[in-house]
């Protein structure tokens, strides 16, 4: 039997299920799960924390170059997929805050920020036995990945999943508001000048509208074992 691919890249838009599928896949293969989106979120969180103007590209880029962000396997079973630390502080949940969510697309469009973070991601990915998840893994960070998957779903389907997730956690949500935010993030992520969101030429596309998470996972497993 051929061994599974060592470097697996999963890209796709916000709320396409990349993290859920990627984490499950990494666990089942005994690989490292690396969610690159948390690094862009960590820089955004730190900039807000230090009251740096998010629109000051030079200042945000310098901050990124000076900061060591550590992404490590989950140390607690509180629903986290991995740990995120900055200067010894655990900010795993802080990076999910609405203020970060609202600004992260601005920060992730900066060329200098992308270059600094991509280099770190590349170093980790090249060690192998990794499932790396993001927007530009197959196109920019690890173009040599052994398996590239591009996970897509309509904005309506992704918003509905987000909406149901929040309700299931006992929260309150407005579907139309979520849909508007998802569309806005799609627009920014796919029209930015540097590393815009798009499938690599050799990526395998999975469009998951109408599919259950379990079906998507099974399809991905077949690709790995194929
Ligand atoms: O996947 P996420 O929602 O945690 O991503 C947060 C932001 O970071 C989102 O605006 C897209 C951006 N991102 C990126 O530009 N490149 C990546 N490899 C991962 C995330």
């Amino acid at each position: 039997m051929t061994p599974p691919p060592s470097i697996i890249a999963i890209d796709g838009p916000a709320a396409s299920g990349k993290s859920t599928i990627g984490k499950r896949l990494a666990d089942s293969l005994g690989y490292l799960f690396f969610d690159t989106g948390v690094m862009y979120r960590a820089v955004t969180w730190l900039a807000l924390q230090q009251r740096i103007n998010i629109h000051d590209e030079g200042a945000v880029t310098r901050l990124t170059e000076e900061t060591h962000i550590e992404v490590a396997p989950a140390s607690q079973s509180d629903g986290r997929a991995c740990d995120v630390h900055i200067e010894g502080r655990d900010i795993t949940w802080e990076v999910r805050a609405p203020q970060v969510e609202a600004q992260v697309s601005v920060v992730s469009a900066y060329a200098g920020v992308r270059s600094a973070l991509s280099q770190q991601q590349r170093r980790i990915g090249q060690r192998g036995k990794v499932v790396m998840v993001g927007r530009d893994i197959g196109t920019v960070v690890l173009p040599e990945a052994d398996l590239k998957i591009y996970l897509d779903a309509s904005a309506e389907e992704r918003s509905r999943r987000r909406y149901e997730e929040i309700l299931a956690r006992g929260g309150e949500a407005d579907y139309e508001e979520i849909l508007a935010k998802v569309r806005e993030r799609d627009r920014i992520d796919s029209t930015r000048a540097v590393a815009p969101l798009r499938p690599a030429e050799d990526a395998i596309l999975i469009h998951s509208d109408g599919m259950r998470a379990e079906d998507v996972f099974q399809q991905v497993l077949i690709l790995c074992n194929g």
Side-chain angles (χ1 to χ4, degrees), residues 11-15 18-19 35-38 40-41 96 101 104-106 108-109 114 121 133-137 141 162 185 189 192 195:
D11 290 302
K18 303 180 301 279
S19 297
D35 176 4
T36 56
V38 300
Y40 293 93
R41 289 170 178 267
R96 302 276 158 203
E101 191 105 339
V104 66
S105 284
V106 176
S108 58
R114 300 205 69 83
Q121 293 160 10
V133 168
R135 303 288 191 289
D136 61 343
I137 310 306
V141 178
R162 243 304 121 107
R185 274 179 67 187
D189 291 346
R192 68 180 174 223

Side-chain angles (χ1 to χ4, degrees), residues 40 43 46 48 50 62-63 67 71 78 82 87 115 120 140 143-144 176 217 223:
Y40 293 93
V43 171
L46 191 62
L48 292 171
Q50 296 191 358
R62 270 193 303 284
L63 180 73
T67 309
V71 182
D78 59 356
C82 51
E87 283 145 17
S115 148
Q120 295 180 38
V140 176
E144 73 276 39
E176 292 300 331
F217 179 65
L223 292 173

Side-chain angles (χ1 to χ4, degrees), residues 96-125:
R96 302 276 158 203
Q99 304 91 293
V100 172
E101 191 105 339
Q103 307 284 0
V104 66
S105 284
V106 176
V107 169
S108 58
Y110 294 150
V113 170
R114 300 205 69 83
S115 148
L117 296 185
S118 300
Q119 273 177 39
Q120 295 180 38
Q121 293 160 10
R122 194 168 162 68
R123 268 199 300 277
I124 293 162

Side-chain angles (χ1 to χ4, degrees), residues 7-204:
I7 301 178
I8 302 174
I10 306 182
D11 290 302
S16 58
K18 303 180 301 279
S19 297
T20 312
I21 299 293
K23 172 80 170 102
R24 250 187 99 180
L25 182 64
D27 287 350
S28 77
L29 295 171
Y31 283 14
L32 174 73
F33 170 70
F34 195 103
D35 176 4
T36 56
V38 300
M39 296 185 93
Y40 293 93
R41 289 170 178 267
V43 171
T44 309
W45 174 83
L46 191 62
L48 292 171
Q49 182 84 359
Q50 296 191 358
R51 299 187 190 286
I52 290 171
N53 177 0
I54 286 288
H55 298 280
D56 183 342
E57 182 168 353
V60 176
T61 302
R62 270 193 303 284
L63 180 73
T64 310
E65 288 166 349
E66 285 162 5
T67 309
H68 178 66
I69 305 162
E70 202 185 322
V71 182
S75 63
Q76 294 176 46
S77 38
D78 59 356
R80 65 183 61 196
C82 51
D83 275 23
V84 190
H85 292 254
I86 274 188
E87 283 145 17
R89 177 166 169 190
D90 183 340
I91 57 159
T92 306
W93 291 114
E94 275 94 334
V95 302
R96 302 276 158 203
Q99 304 91 293
V100 172
E101 191 105 339
Q103 307 284 0
V104 66
S105 284
V106 176
V107 169
S108 58
Y110 294 150
V113 170
R114 300 205 69 83
S115 148
L117 296 185
S118 300
Q119 273 177 39
Q120 295 180 38
Q121 293 160 10
R122 194 168 162 68
R123 268 199 300 277
I124 293 162
Q126 281 177 326
R127 293 182 202 146
K129 293 205 164 193
V130 67
V131 177
M132 196 171 274
V133 168
R135 303 288 191 289
D136 61 343
I137 310 306
T139 50
V140 176
V141 178
L142 296 166
E144 73 276 39
D146 305 302
L147 174 65
K148 300 178 187 176
I149 294 169
Y150 189 88
L151 208 53
D152 209 352
S154 65
E156 289 77 9
E157 171 92 16
R158 289 181 282 127
S159 305
R160 191 182 54 72
R161 290 183 197 154
R162 243 304 121 107
Y163 173 74
E164 284 171 3
E165 238 171 60
I166 298 172
L167 294 197
R169 282 203 307 262
E172 280 182 21
D174 180 84
Y175 170 79
E176 292 300 331
E177 200 176 300
I178 296 175
L179 180 60
K181 280 188 186 153
V182 163
R183 285 196 173 132
E184 178 60 4
R185 274 179 67 187
D186 283 358
R187 190 190 64 74
I188 300 178
D189 291 346
S190 51
T191 57
R192 68 180 174 223
V194 199
L197 171 67
R198 63 173 176 82
E201 272 178 19
D202 50 349
I204 295 165

